[in-house]
Amino acid sequence: MTSHLAAWKWWIIAAVVIGALWVTDRLSDADSLPEQIVWEDSPFSGSGPPRTYSEAMTRSKLAVTNAGAAARAKPDQWLMHEIHASELMARAQLSGSYEDYAAAGQALDAAFGVAVKGSGPHLMRAALDFSMHRLAGAEAQLAAIDRYAVPPDPGDRAEITAVRGDIAFYRGDYDAAWALYDQADALVPGSTLFRRAIFAARTGDVDGADAYFAQAERAYRSPTPQTRGYMALQRGILDLDRGRLDDAMVHFREADRLFPGRWLIEEHIAEVLNLQGKTAEAETLYRAIVKRTGHPEFIDALAGIAEARGDTAEAARLYGRSAAIWDKRLKLFPEATYGHAIDHCTARRDWPCALRLAEANHRARPFGEAKIKLAAALLANGRTDAARAMIEQVLASRWRTPDLHSTAADIYQAAGLTQKAEAQRKLATASNPLS
């Protein structure tokens, strides 16, 4: 494989695994920060990075078409199918479409179908499996790479180690995750900054998370509008999780200015508008997002707004519409859907459904968030003792988020442990006044 293709492969896999089209430069501790490129407007078609979501999607669709044609022209070369899969996964990151992920899986199947035994796009398959929350599948692909006669280069080895850290994180083994991030950074310094930010945010070090995001962004020589917009989005999410709505909105508006049109940014703006009581504005924005994406979580958001104003008929209609999409997603990629579909069941007060999905979600990825959702579902189904046992597992771990403490407060209150409930409620409101 040429050095150009190796670099491309490492970039796209890292982008898929962390859920954003970005990758940090390989900086050593002695490196000074590189001079950044400011992207100017260009009159030439195709020059420079895309400046809007619409432009990025247009380019991505063309890339998928061209890669697909190349794979069909050389069907016996597995690398061509891998490139096609990578372009589909890149488009999926933009679109959020499960159909794009499914098509990427089909392209990878085609690649393995013509690859010599022991070869093939194992790292790309690991990225897809991880993205779809199939942790065991991702591990199996990484294990196959360990058996290569020629070891991967340092960039690939760093990414492999970092993905193993991600798998440990989502299995709730936070110490192992951090140690693996250290190992990845020893291979490629600075390669896990974004991952460390997510880790810090979920373990109570929000200021540390903000600092890691800042380091990750500074590590770029040429941050694109999409990269800068995504980083602004992440900083806004940190503020949102702390209940700082005005600060969060500043970041979200900046993200939308930097990379306009991306629904992922717009839905966070709509969420803040709704929390600020600007429901008419939120509803208008959610309707526009639903029209463009058809994603069920935003249909559920509209249902919640309708329900809050007393329009139960409209809420029921919208919940029915989203339920059909959730069912389709559960059939296509169940592990990737469980955690989001739980919220749909909870919104509809379908507690048996919430518990069934929460149990499946916990089996797939038994990390802090999944345990909290399972504890809440157990409580809603009247299983207070089991809920308490589950939430205390999280309290005994490094996981620290406002919803952990608010859920623990509800469980302790239901168990008649009022002092513990009050203590947890104080912790929740201290980290997020809206809890």
Side-chain angles (χ1 to χ4, degrees), residues 54-65:
S54 177
E55 184 184 355
M57 281 297 295
T58 298
R59 292 193 192 185
S60 185
K61 289 175 182 177
L62 179 60
V64 167
T65 298

Side-chain angles (χ1 to χ4, degrees), residues 300-341:
D300 284 339
L302 286 171
I305 291 173
E307 195 169 36
R309 67 167 176 258
D311 192 346
T312 56
E314 174 66 1
R317 185 189 69 80
L318 288 165
Y319 281 134
R321 178 183 170 190
S322 65
I325 304 172
W326 286 120
D327 287 344
K328 182 179 179 181
R329 287 188 171 192
L330 284 166
K331 291 181 176 68
L332 190 59
F333 289 114
E335 296 90 348
T337 306
Y338 292 143
H340 302 290

